Structure formats: C-alpha cells, structure tokens
Amino acid sequence: MKVMGIVAGRHNGNSEIMVKEALLACQEAGAECTLINLFDYNILPCTGCEGCTMNMGEVAQGKGEYRGCVLKEKDDVDKLITAMQQQDGVIIGCPTYDLMPSSVYTRFAQRFLAYEQAFLLKIGALKEDKHCVAGLIAVGGSCHDWQGLTLETMAASMFTQSIQVVDQYMTTRVGRPGNVLLREDHLKRAHQMGENIIKAIQTPVGEREWLGDPDLGLCPNCHGGLIFKGDVHWDGIQFPFECAVCGAGGDLVKDENGKVKFVLAENGLCRDRNVDKCRDLHLDEIIETRIHFFQNIDQVKEKSGKYRDLKFPAV
Ligand SMILES: Cc1cc2nc3c(=O)[nH]c(=O)nc-3n(C[C@H](O)[C@H](O)[C@H](O)COP(=O)(O)O)c2cc1C
C-alpha cells in the first residue's frame, strides 16, 4: 500500500500536522508513506492554452501522439503528478484562505487536466489504474461559516484523477501554526482518516464506500454541502437542484421530521462527474461548442479586431 500526504499549508503548520497524524495511522498499518509540502516545489499556474485538451481530442481521433502539458519541462508538477498516480491513497491537507482552498493547492490541482487519468490510461501513457482513494482535510481559523468552499473545492479537484474521495474533515478554529496541537479531537479524527484510507484500500474497488461522517454535507452522492438551483444544461437536461461538486441532480425536500434532504432524481446521477462515462458526455458538450466556434471563425476574426486594438493603461 502506498499513501502520499500532500500539504498546502505552512511547514509545521496545522495542515501539515493533521496530514502527518493521518499518515501515522497508514504507516502503522504497513503502508509506504511519502509526504510533500507544495510550498517546496515550483508549481506554475495553468496557462489556459488548452493545448492538452485539443491534443487529447486529436489523439482520440487517431491523429498524432499525446504531448502532455506545455509546462512539463518547466517546473516540478510532472514529477509530483507522476508520483501521485502511483499511489493507492492520498491524504490532502489544505488551509482555508478567504473561504476557499489556498492558491498553492488550486494552482497545483488545476494542472491535473493535462494528466487526466482516464485519458492517460486509454492511450497507454499510464500503465496501471491504481483506483486511488482520497481523504481531504481542510484547516481554518474559523468554523464552517468561514470555510464554506474549501472541502468542496478540494473534492471537485479529484475527478480528473478519477480519485474516489472516501473521507473529508474540516478542522475548525485553528489559526496560529501548531494551534491544532491543542485540539485532541482534531488529531484523533486525522488518525481516523488514516485508518479509513487503509480500510478503503483494502476493500475491493467496486465495494468501496464513504467512510466519513454520514451526516456531512447535503449531497448523498459525494457529501458536498453546496446545492444550487439548477439551470438548463447544454443538451436540455435540467434538475430543480444540483450538487456543485459532483453534478448530482434532484430536489430539496423535507422529511417527516422537517429536516431538509437533497433527494436524487431518478436520472440524478447521469451528470456524476466522478463517473468516466458521464465525463465523456461533458466532452461531447466541449466538442459541440468547439465545432460551433470553428464554423464561425470568420465572424470571430471580424469582431475581434475591436477588442485587440482597444487598449487601457495597465498599472
Ligand atoms: C490569507 C489568509 C486568509 C485566511 N482566510 C481564512 C478564512 O477565510 N477562513 C478561515 O477559517 N481561516 C482563514 N485563514 C486562517 C488559516 O486558514 C489558518 O491560519 C490555518 O491554520 C493555516 O493553515 P496552516 O497552519 O496549515 O498553514 C486565513 C489565513 C490567511 C493567511
């Protein structure tokens, strides 16, 4: 069993301590553990060039070879993701900055697209599907009310790697580095997360289940807490409400005790981003949008001059 801890917080900070405590449990169970702190690596932001997805489209149609990310030789991300894709489990600890994960984490995670695991497996660039599982730890100085986007954003970053999130925990009210050492409950829960990761790894892939707090979040599919009013999708599908993280669709209803529940529609998982088949449908949307763009490229060229030539002073 290989488990990697990924920390996006300060050295000797609260995220690092929580992840180390979780890794201890994995080590006790016999796992080979590694730990990286993202601050130690050069991680360039995704340039947004779309070179990877354009190239993936070509390769899928049998044209050419996959070149990977344009930044591949320029920073440490290739090394980090390559190591991550060899793991059976990952435990990620990230501080909340302004309600959301710190940018060190999102900068790293937004580079995952060029390494989309399902695609790399399909073209043989990745030999083995490790069916990796993840435990996510958010850390913040405040309670849930000031950390409302962290775990959800971290969970949303997992689908391009086809990583199954089996546990999540929000570490509340720890501010200064080491503050979490005063909170035995948090440390105990981190240890439990390590145990949960081992339990998931030792469970046959198709039988793996959520091992975190059963009441976490509203979504019965991914335990995310962000449910929004649904709009019409590109292909006409619409749900009254949707989960912002996994894309599950359904309705908000009150049970017999007056408790609000998010009940999935019959076809409510047809947009589940964690399922490769559903992500393929999203690819259809991207392809359709691109076809429309290229069919109308003359119009774009004609209109773009106005904006290209429009200049405002920078700072
Ligand atoms: C720029 C910045 C923004 C922050 N915003 C929040 C916030 O919105 N909510 C919160 O609970 N804590 C916030 N914090 C506090 C950190 O999450 C907290 O100090 C945490 O323990 C840092 O993790 P670390 O010790 O692993 O680095 C913020 C800290 C910084 C530096």
Side-chain angles (χ1 to χ4, degrees), residues 7-17 39 93-100 139-148 150 171-180:
V7 174
R10 296 166 288 193
H11 278 293
N12 303 312
N14 299 305
S15 315
E16 196 173 284
I17 292 169
F39 276 114
C94 180
T96 298
Y97 286 0
D98 301 337
L99 320 182
M100 61 189 97
V139 169
S142 195
C143 298
H144 194 167
D145 60 328
W146 275 86
Q147 296 200 64
T150 313
T171 319
T172 55
R173 305 203 67 194
V174 292
R176 298 301 299 151
N179 200 158
V180 74

Side-chain angles (χ1 to χ4, degrees), residues 6-10 36-45 77 80 92-97 100-112 154:
I6 301 174
V7 174
R10 296 166 288 193
I36 59 166
N37 187 315
L38 297 178
F39 276 114
D40 294 336
Y41 300 91
N42 180 21
I43 298 168
L44 294 171
V77 169
L80 297 181
I92 309 175
C94 180
T96 298
Y97 286 0
M100 61 189 97
S102 65
S103 61
V104 182
Y105 181 71
T106 51
R107 182 185 266 229
F108 174 56
Q110 285 166 8
R111 294 282 301 282
F112 289 173
M154 291 168 78

Side-chain angles (χ1 to χ4, degrees), residues 56-73:
M56 281 177 193
E58 290 160 5
V59 176
Q61 290 167 48
K63 291 183 223 151
E65 292 205 341
Y66 186 54
R67 295 180 294 274
C69 183
V70 291
L71 299 174
K72 203 169 165 180
E73 313 290 340

Side-chain angles (χ1 to χ4, degrees), residues 91-295:
I91 297 172
I92 309 175
C94 180
T96 298
Y97 286 0
D98 301 337
L99 320 182
M100 61 189 97
S102 65
S103 61
V104 182
Y105 181 71
T106 51
R107 182 185 266 229
F108 174 56
Q110 285 166 8
R111 294 282 301 282
F112 289 173
L113 184 61
Y115 298 84
E116 175 138 8
Q117 194 191 260
F119 175 74
L120 295 190
L121 283 166
K122 206 181 272 182
I123 63 166
L126 191 65
K127 298 288 170 246
E128 189 190 356
D129 185 348
K130 299 288 284 183
H131 296 285
C132 185
V133 293
L136 309 177
I137 301 173
V139 169
S142 195
C143 298
H144 194 167
D145 60 328
W146 275 86
Q147 296 200 64
L149 303 171
T150 313
L151 283 175
E152 278 74 7
T153 309
M154 291 168 78
S157 70
M158 293 286 99
F159 64 82
T160 52
Q161 290 308 308
S162 305
I163 295 177
Q164 184 184 354
V165 178
V166 293
D167 195 3
Q168 295 182 33
Y169 183 65
M170 186 184 294
T171 319
T172 55
R173 305 203 67 194
V174 292
R176 298 301 299 151
N179 200 158
V180 74
L181 296 170
L182 302 174
R183 296 290 304 273
E184 255 331 294
D185 52 337
H186 288 326
L187 295 171
K188 238 172 110 180
R189 184 59 181 79
H191 201 87
Q192 169 85 56
M193 178 175 288
E195 289 169 1
N196 287 344
I197 288 297
I198 296 298
K199 188 172 171 191
I201 293 172
Q202 291 176 334
T203 303
V205 173
E207 294 166 31
R208 291 174 180 171
E209 285 181 341
W210 172 254
L211 298 169
D213 174 0
D215 286 332
L216 185 80
L218 264 179
C219 178
N221 190 40
C222 75
H223 290 266
L226 299 176
I227 306 296
F228 69 95
K229 201 143 72 72
D231 298 312
V232 186
H233 293 204
W234 69 285
D235 56 356
I237 281 198
Q238 185 171 15
F239 300 108
F241 289 90
E242 291 179 34
C243 171
V245 177
C246 70
D251 210 349
L252 289 173
V253 292
K254 274 191 178 168
D255 69 10
E256 58 282 5
N257 303 314
K259 201 174 154 194
V260 173
K261 281 189 161 179
F262 180 45
V263 178
L264 298 183
E266 219 165 280
N267 63 341
L269 292 180
C270 69
R271 287 290 188 263
D272 183 356
R273 273 183 266 283
N274 298 304
V275 177
D276 293 349
K277 193 165 55 100
C278 302
R279 280 210 308 286
D280 284 351
L281 278 177
H282 175 56
L283 194 62
D284 292 346
E285 175 184 7
I286 294 173
I287 291 167
E288 198 176 288
T289 309
R290 263 185 202 156
I291 289 172
H292 177 264
F293 174 80
F294 286 115
Q295 278 172 346

Side-chain angles (χ1 to χ4, degrees), residues 1-5 22-28 30-35 87 91 198:
M1 294 182 289
K2 283 177 128 193
V3 181
M4 182 189 234
L23 284 184
L24 265 182
C26 299
Q27 203 171 47
E28 280 159 22
E32 184 190 314
C33 298
T34 44
L35 175 67
Q87 305 299 313
I91 297 172
I198 296 298

